[in-house]
Amino acid sequence: MTINTDKAAPEPEDGRPADATTAPETLKAVPVRHFGRWVAAVVAVAVLALLVNAFAHGKLNWGAVPDYFFNTDILKGVRNTITITILSMVLGVVLGVVLSVMRLSKNPVTSSVAWFYIWFFRGTPVYVQLLLWFNLGLVFEFINLGPIYKDYWSSFMTPFLAALLGLGLNEAAYMAEICRAGIQSVDEGQTEAAHALGMSHGKTLRRVVLPQAMRVIVPPTGNEFINMLKTTSLVIAVQYYDLLQSATNIGQTSGATVEMLILAAAWYLVLTSVLSIGQYYLERRFARGSLRQLPPTPWQKIVRANLLSFGNRSSAGGTA
């Protein structure tokens, strides 16, 4: 006995035969509406408008900002700010590399000394350290290094030196942790292979480990450089003549106190913007070993966009 399992296709209600080749109905995609984004944008624009309106109707002499922007005293403060920033970072980076190597050392004495240094300088505010260096003359009358150097502490500890030591030694504690993280990011097999080739520990560190660790060290170091530039505003506590000190002095003599503070903020924005651009290209350079193709720079994006628009216009003109 056989059973016919073939079933006739159901006839449509209108009596027409079913067409097997009929395409499915096209679905229309409706984009999701993000009302929260519109609300957030409206709130942000409203707050910005209120701030602009408040400062526009405030008792501010906006003409004083461009008038004093390139003032001789302001430019001197800018130059001193850049100088103390660079020297403090050099001191912090060099000492930080040394401390990171000491911290990773198998010698318990050097490792403990490095740990204590990092613990102390990271655990105390940099403002307190600046004041401590500047006021050590109340504790020590002389500085005596034997036959090398001897002088009164007040003559030795100038505002520049107090600012350099306060900023540089504090930065070294942070750079030590950054360098330690970079060194530990390199695979141990690299060190073992270098030692198998007969390279000493110091040579392995210089030729193999540190070049590979730079990819991890450079980004936070750039951030520390920018942060150091802004932290130099604290050296006003030790009477060092920086950008903030010069702007404050002009504000007190001219009566435009708030205007000069706005001017100082504008100069800090200019300097940090320049450093940010340098940090971007430096990071891009050290990323060459980890990326197969580097992302285009902002300038390359602009050039590429202009070439594409020019090519589209040319093709449109040719078809016309």
Side-chain angles (χ1 to χ4, degrees), residues 188-225:
E188 293 183 0
Q190 302 285 331
T191 303
E192 296 173 356
H195 290 168
L197 293 175
M199 299 177 66
S200 63
H201 182 71
K203 194 172 184 180
T204 301
L205 185 66
R206 294 192 310 271
R207 297 290 184 85
V208 178
V209 177
L210 283 180
Q212 298 183 64
M214 290 301 292
R215 182 172 57 87
V216 178
I217 295 174
V218 167
T221 303
N223 294 332
E224 288 294 317
F225 204 109

Side-chain angles (χ1 to χ4, degrees), residues 303-320:
V303 173
R304 186 177 301 174
N306 291 333
L307 290 177
L308 289 175
S309 61
F310 179 76
N312 292 335
R313 288 197 301 267
S314 300
S315 60
T319 55

Side-chain angles (χ1 to χ4, degrees), residues 241-265:
Y241 194 84
D242 69 324
L243 172 59
L244 182 59
Q245 180 72 67
S246 61
T248 302
N249 292 345
I250 295 176
Q252 291 175 351
T253 56
S254 64
T257 304
V258 178
E259 291 83 349
M260 292 302 101
L261 293 177
I262 295 175
L263 183 148

Side-chain angles (χ1 to χ4, degrees), residues 96-161:
V97 172
V98 175
L99 287 170
S100 64
V101 175
M102 293 173 59
R103 187 82 171 84
L104 296 173
S105 174
K106 297 181 180 179
N107 188 329
V109 177
T110 57
S111 179
S112 300
V113 169
W115 177 88
F116 179 81
Y117 181 98
I118 296 170
W119 170 77
F120 177 81
F121 281 95
R122 285 205 309 171
T124 54
V126 61
Y127 187 77
V128 176
Q129 296 175 30
L130 287 168
L131 294 176
L132 183 63
W133 283 109
F134 190 67
N135 291 286
L136 278 180
L138 301 175
V139 181
F140 305 105
E141 184 178 1
F142 297 95
I143 176 172
N144 188 358
L145 300 179
I148 302 175
Y149 182 80
K150 182 178 181 181
D151 199 355
Y152 287 99
W153 188 272
S154 57
S155 301
F156 167 73
M157 189 57 64
T158 60
F160 170 77
L161 186 59

Side-chain angles (χ1 to χ4, degrees), residues 1-8:
M1 179 178 179
T2 62
I3 300 174
N4 186 10
T5 58
D6 295 336
K7 295 182 180 180

Side-chain angles (χ1 to χ4, degrees), residues 11-298:
E11 293 290 339
E13 296 180 357
D14 55 2
R16 292 180 298 177
D19 188 2
T21 61
T22 302
E25 183 181 355
T26 304
L27 297 177
K28 183 180 180 181
V30 179
V32 180
R33 293 177 175 84
H34 301 279
F35 297 103
R37 296 180 182 178
W38 288 98
V39 174
V42 170
V43 171
V45 171
V47 173
L48 181 61
L50 290 175
L51 289 175
V52 172
N53 181 69
F55 278 96
H57 293 83
K59 296 181 180 180
L60 289 174
N61 181 16
W62 290 103
V65 177
D67 290 343
Y68 285 95
F69 200 81
F70 295 103
N71 182 271
T72 305
D73 294 333
I74 294 293
L75 293 180
K76 180 181 178 182
V78 171
R79 183 173 63 253
N80 290 346
T81 296
I82 296 174
T83 301
I84 197 66
T85 300
I86 294 175
L87 294 179
S88 298
M89 279 303 301
V90 170
L91 176 62
V93 169
V94 173
L95 188 56
V97 172
V98 175
L99 287 170
S100 64
V101 175
M102 293 173 59
R103 187 82 171 84
L104 296 173
S105 174
K106 297 181 180 179
N107 188 329
V109 177
T110 57
S111 179
S112 300
V113 169
W115 177 88
F116 179 81
Y117 181 98
I118 296 170
W119 170 77
F120 177 81
F121 281 95
R122 285 205 309 171
T124 54
V126 61
Y127 187 77
V128 176
Q129 296 175 30
L130 287 168
L131 294 176
L132 183 63
W133 283 109
F134 190 67
N135 291 286
L136 278 180
L138 301 175
V139 181
F140 305 105
E141 184 178 1
F142 297 95
I143 176 172
N144 188 358
L145 300 179
I148 302 175
Y149 182 80
K150 182 178 181 181
D151 199 355
Y152 287 99
W153 188 272
S154 57
S155 301
F156 167 73
M157 189 57 64
T158 60
F160 170 77
L161 186 59
L164 178 63
L165 293 176
L167 297 177
L169 297 182
N170 179 79
E171 183 61 31
Y174 291 92
M175 286 303 306
E177 292 298 286
I178 292 174
C179 294
R180 182 173 68 89
I183 292 174
Q184 290 181 331
S185 68
V186 180
D187 188 78
E188 293 183 0
Q190 302 285 331
T191 303
E192 296 173 356
H195 290 168
L197 293 175
M199 299 177 66
S200 63
H201 182 71
K203 194 172 184 180
T204 301
L205 185 66
R206 294 192 310 271
R207 297 290 184 85
V208 178
V209 177
L210 283 180
Q212 298 183 64
M214 290 301 292
R215 182 172 57 87
V216 178
I217 295 174
V218 167
T221 303
N223 294 332
E224 288 294 317
F225 204 109
I226 295 174
N227 185 63
M228 174 64 73
L229 176 66
K230 297 181 294 183
T231 308
T232 54
S233 60
L234 297 177
V235 299
I236 192 174
V238 296
Q239 303 176 13
Y240 182 70
Y241 194 84
D242 69 324
L243 172 59
L244 182 59
Q245 180 72 67
S246 61
T248 302
N249 292 345
I250 295 176
Q252 291 175 351
T253 56
S254 64
T257 304
V258 178
E259 291 83 349
M260 292 302 101
L261 293 177
I262 295 175
L263 183 148
W267 264 112
Y268 281 118
L269 285 173
V270 170
L271 295 176
T272 53
S273 299
V274 173
L275 291 178
S276 299
I277 295 173
Q279 178 189 4
Y280 171 80
Y281 282 99
L282 190 61
E283 290 181 12
R284 193 172 184 273
R285 175 177 176 81
F286 282 101
R288 292 180 303 174
S290 59
L291 300 177
R292 293 183 178 180
Q293 184 177 1
L294 295 176
T297 63

